Amino acid sequence: MYFLWFVHFLDSFALYPRLLWGVERVLRHKDPRLLLVALFIQGLTNYFFLVPFTIGAFFYAMWRFLVLWKTYANSGERLAVLGIGFVAFAFGLLSSCFVLLPGIANAQNMPRLESTDSYLHSLKAALSPGDPKARSPLLFLLAPNFVHIRPPPH
């Protein structure tokens, strides 16, 4: 049974099967309507889960596309399914951007992000115009102050 005190997550997880069903409709029938509606409703109900669910649905779609590879008549049909799926994902996300974009803008302008020297702040500074070699340590190496962290004594 789902944990009852986090009811605001229940609607998102209840909509996830509809998202996967929409992926199946695109792959089997080339019908993007259910996928578009599922992404739109997911973005309206809880935009925090929109991104991870979309990434998960994308990986599911790629896996199912490879499983159904031999059921398609020719390469033209395969390309058509890929194109319809890509457009359905893109327009499904775009349809909920009027909720998603203000939420992202609000999160980026929070005072606690500006007042700390967080990883996000360092990454934003590294991505600003300047030396491109300064970006790789932030992306691929641990920060020096995190390397020597030891667990607390028991």
Side-chain angles (χ1 to χ4, degrees):
M1 179 92 192
Y2 193 78
F3 188 59
L4 296 176
W5 307 128
F6 290 108
V7 182
H8 54 281
F9 292 153
L10 187 59
D11 54 354
S12 295
F13 286 96
L15 291 170
Y16 192 60
R18 184 163 299 225
L19 185 62
L20 298 180
W21 187 19
V23 168
E24 286 292 327
R25 296 280 304 176
V26 168
L27 293 174
R28 291 182 181 268
H29 306 291
K30 297 184 197 133
D31 184 13
R33 291 177 295 180
L34 185 60
L35 181 59
L36 287 167
V37 169
L39 284 169
F40 175 69
I41 293 173
Q42 181 66 41
L44 289 181
T45 57
N46 195 331
Y47 63 88
F48 290 112
F49 285 110
L50 177 66
V51 174
F53 282 2
T54 303
I55 292 170
F58 174 77
F59 285 130
Y60 175 76
M62 290 295 100
W63 175 71
R64 288 295 294 158
F65 179 74
L66 294 175
V67 168
L68 296 172
W69 182 269
K70 292 188 179 197
T71 62
Y72 301 123
N74 53 28
S75 61
E77 188 176 2
R78 290 182 192 111
L79 287 175
V81 168
L82 281 177
I84 291 170
F86 179 76
V87 168
F89 270 107
F91 279 113
L93 288 173
L94 287 175
S95 66
S96 61
C97 274
F98 72 95
V99 175
L100 183 63
L101 292 179
I104 291 172
N106 186 27
Q108 287 179 339
N109 293 325
M110 295 182 87
R112 65 181 176 189
L113 284 179
E114 297 298 324
S115 65
T116 63
D117 191 24
S118 65
Y119 178 74
L120 180 63
H121 180 70
S122 302
L123 194 59
K124 283 169 56 176
L127 293 177
S128 65
D131 185 21
K133 292 180 182 176
R135 296 178 190 145
S136 63
L138 286 173
L139 296 174
F140 301 112
L141 299 175
L142 287 175
N145 55 347
F146 293 110
V147 173
H148 300 293
I149 293 177
R150 300 188 198 292
H154 295 310

